[in-house]
Amino acid sequence: MGKNQVNTLDSFLSHLESIFSVTIHDAKEIIDTFHREMSSGLAGMKSSLKMIPSFVGPPSGTEKGKYLVLDLGGTNIRVLAVELDGKGNTSMAAVSRFVIPQEMMCGAGDAIFDYIADCIKLFFEKNCIDRQKTYDLAFTFSFPVEQSSLASGKLIGWTKGFTASGVVGNDVVALLSAALRRKEMGFIHVVALANDTVGTLVAKCYSDPSCDMGVILGTGTNACYPEKVARILKCPVLGLSGKMIVNIEWGGFSQLKMNIYDQDLDCASRNADKQHLEKMVSGMYLGEIARRVIVEMMNRGLLFKGTNLSAFSREYMLHTEHLSLVAQGSDFFADFGLRDVSEVDRGTIRELCRIVSTRSAKIAGAAIAAVVTWMDANFESDHTIAIDGTLFEKYPGYQDHIVGVLRELFGECAKRIRLELVRDGSGIGSAIIGAVAASARPVSSGDDCGRHRI
Ligand code: ADP
Ligand code: MG
């Protein structure tokens, strides 16, 4: 669009509305393309959806015990002790959260694993856990991994701004185990590796067998679902009947209409031309998309007139939390040194936050619709979608927009889809996967191989 056509505020806002729109026609197109890409991915053909087998089936609900879990997300590390009662109930005996420092995300691989080991050490100290015993740990690792067994897998490529060296192509369980030994915690054995989406699905499934999809809407975004083993054509000799959970890695979906802001963000990112859907949807990027629009509007004299143009010049300085504040009726202006912001500018920022976050929720809704219809084209069953992630949990109105798209697409049938927040699901689910791993191990003299759970 030419500059003079969008030089008034109203026309610029309607221009934004149009380049960020997701019409019902777009949503249907996303569904069709998703199905094609899912099919290619399962067959091992070229696809932007990796469709990774997880080596995990849906849980039975009878898994039992107390497990140590390490959940490495995109922003946070959580160490948890999770208790499973064998009757579908879970409780968290202890949890500690740590923020991953920027320098760890982009430094040497060994340094990030040493940092993780230190977090586990602090967790042991804080909770006075006996270090003379041995423990089983389930590792939730929220990045694309080509899994070779329940407790091994190689990192395919970093996402969410991580670039730590020496990790891509290597087994992340081996790297974590080596760091634990370096930090004198070799008494912790990593028994399961799980993707966060898989953990989320398993966590909800434990108590609710109607749950057949796990979704992450946090720093990154991804989803998984139980697939008939016979349909996972790329692994013809899995030796399993029934279903296996497939990690879609939907953040990589590449068939979306990107606008100029998406394209610029992608080009400047640490993983250019990858993770297109993630960059339009997930929490790591919404603030940055909005910041790029703000800079453009300031340059055109449509926003914050008289303010130094450099106020929003640093990449990723505007966060999804800031947009979330605006959506709550508050603002972020003080954080950026802006005082006496006019009513018109406040209204413009509100519109911008709404436009960026609504598109995110609508794409997420269309992607959920694609997976549900892949599993059940005629809505013959109910579907509970387990969702973990702070974007979904805390962004005002986000859930309603997802529901809105599902209603528009499916009318009354949309009632068969239930979205359920599963807080810390990604961690709890790994504990369940760990329990399955532990029960599969040969048991000598009934003492669980001398291993102790916390
Ligand atoms: P992780 O992705 O590390 O597992 P979370 O699920 O907690 O962690 O997601 C963290 C992301 O959620 C942040 O990077 C941010 O983008 C987003 N976020 C944080 N606070 C809010 C909020 N109040 N409203 C909306 N999104 C938020
Ligand atoms: Mg997470």
Side-chain angles (χ1 to χ4, degrees):
M1 192 178 234
K3 198 162 180 165
N4 37 3
Q5 285 169 271
V6 287
N7 58 0
T8 69
L9 183 56
D10 283 347
S11 56
F12 194 86
L13 284 174
S14 52
H15 163 64
L16 284 182
E17 192 89 67
S18 110
I19 62 170
F20 279 91
S21 72
V22 180
T23 64
I24 195 70
H25 173 77
D26 296 332
K28 284 180 179 161
E29 212 166 279
I30 291 173
I31 294 176
D32 288 345
T33 331
F34 237 83
H35 288 175
R36 282 202 295 280
E37 296 279 282
M38 287 174 83
S39 177
S40 302
L42 286 172
M45 283 148 53
K46 194 174 175 311
S47 169
S48 65
L49 298 176
K50 293 196 176 76
M51 309 298 286
I52 302 171
S54 68
F55 294 87
V56 177
S60 66
T62 57
E63 294 80 5
K64 209 171 165 179
K66 212 168 168 187
Y67 291 89
L68 194 60
V69 176
L70 172 71
D71 181 357
L72 177 66
T75 306
N76 304 300
I77 293 172
R78 298 172 175 90
V79 186
L80 308 93
V82 175
E83 205 163 343
L84 317 168
D85 73 352
K87 295 178 192 133
N89 304 306
T90 59
S91 57
M92 218 124 62
V95 57
S96 295
R97 284 158 214 269
F98 308 86
V99 171
I100 308 168
Q102 266 291 327
E103 65 270 22
M104 295 289 168
M105 292 164 63
C106 304
D110 281 352
I112 193 167
F113 282 98
D114 279 345
Y115 179 76
I116 294 168
D118 282 334
C119 293
I120 298 175
K121 199 176 233 172
L122 283 172
F123 178 83
F124 267 67
E125 283 164 10
K126 188 175 158 215
N127 294 288
C128 306
I129 301 171
D130 183 357
R131 296 179 51 171
Q132 303 306 313
K133 299 178 179 171
T134 54
Y135 298 89
D136 288 341
L137 177 135
F139 183 18
T140 310
F141 185 69
S142 313
F143 299 90
V145 162
E146 195 69 59
Q147 209 142 343
S148 41
S149 73
L150 196 52
S152 63
K154 290 179 181 164
L155 176 65
I156 297 170
W158 284 119
T159 56
K160 298 181 276 194
F162 281 62
T163 56
S165 60
V167 188
V168 173
N170 289 314
D171 179 0
V172 292
V173 172
L175 291 173
L176 174 60
S177 302
L180 287 167
R181 284 193 298 274
R182 282 198 294 278
K183 297 284 175 177
E184 288 159 359
M185 286 190 295
F187 55 86
I188 297 173
H189 302 271
V190 186
V191 297
L193 173 66
N195 183 268
D196 54 349
T197 49
V198 178
T200 301
L201 169 57
V202 166
K204 184 68 190 164
C205 244
Y206 186 68
S207 61
D208 175 359
S210 83
C211 176
D212 56 9
M213 192 174 166
V215 174
I216 300 293
L217 286 162
T219 310
T221 182
N222 188 13
C224 69
Y225 69 104
E227 180 58 282
K228 293 186 195 84
V229 169
R231 276 171 91 172
I232 312 177
L233 297 177
K234 63 179 165 186
C235 297
V237 284
L238 283 169
L240 280 169
S241 57
K243 291 186 172 177
M244 180 188 275
I245 299 170
V246 168
N247 165 15
I248 303 174
E249 285 296 335
W250 83 13
F253 186 68
S254 61
Q255 317 282 319
L256 295 166
K257 277 191 309 190
M258 291 169 88
N259 62 37
I260 185 73
Y261 303 102
D262 301 316
Q263 287 162 6
D264 289 350
L265 182 153
D266 180 45
C267 278
S269 69
R270 290 174 188 151
N271 54 348
D273 211 23
K274 296 207 169 96
Q275 300 294 101
H276 286 177
L277 182 143
E278 185 156 87
K279 287 171 183 163
M280 295 163 82
V281 171
S282 81
M284 169 156 178
Y285 300 101
L286 300 187
E288 175 62 7
I289 297 171
R291 185 196 69 83
R292 285 171 177 273
V293 177
I294 290 173
V295 169
E296 174 73 15
M297 293 185 79
M298 287 174 75
N299 283 332
R300 286 173 183 257
L302 296 172
L303 194 58
F304 305 138
K305 266 198 192 126
T307 305
N308 191 329
L309 286 179
S310 67
F312 288 90
S313 61
R314 202 162 34 83
E315 287 189 349
Y316 293 93
M317 72 193 299
L318 189 66
H319 302 147
T320 300
E321 289 94 315
H322 291 125
L323 311 197
S324 196
L325 273 177
V326 173
Q328 283 162 50
S330 179
D331 66 62
F332 55 73
F333 302 129
D335 284 10
F336 295 83
L338 300 173
R339 262 171 268 119
D340 306 322
V341 175
S342 73
E343 261 321 302
V344 173
D345 284 351
R346 285 174 187 276
T348 302
I349 291 294
R350 271 197 301 276
E351 280 295 285
L352 175 59
C353 295
R354 181 186 60 72
I355 288 170
V356 171
S357 64
T358 305
R359 182 184 68 161
S360 155
K362 285 187 170 181
I363 296 173
I368 289 171
V371 180
V372 170
T373 49
W374 173 265
M375 292 187 288
D376 179 13
N378 300 315
F379 286 93
E380 284 160 15
S381 3
D382 290 330
H383 302 275
T384 300
I385 321 285
I387 309 185
D388 189 5
T390 307
L391 174 65
F392 177 79
E393 181 183 355
K394 297 214 174 130
Y395 204 103
Y398 196 89
Q399 310 189 17
D400 301 335
H401 285 298
I402 297 182
V403 171
V405 172
L406 297 173
R407 283 221 187 101
E408 252 191 285
L409 284 166
F410 305 130
E412 280 296 296
C413 286
K415 289 194 180 143
R416 300 207 79 160
I417 306 173
R418 214 153 41 97
L419 309 180
E420 291 239 350
L421 173 71
V422 186
R423 212 175 274 118
D424 280 319
S426 52
I428 293 168
S430 292
I432 298 164
I433 294 166
V436 174
S439 65
R441 205 168 37 216
V443 175
S444 60
S445 62
D447 70 351
D448 196 24
C449 295
R451 296 270 171 83
H452 292 264
R453 294 162 190 166
I454 317 141

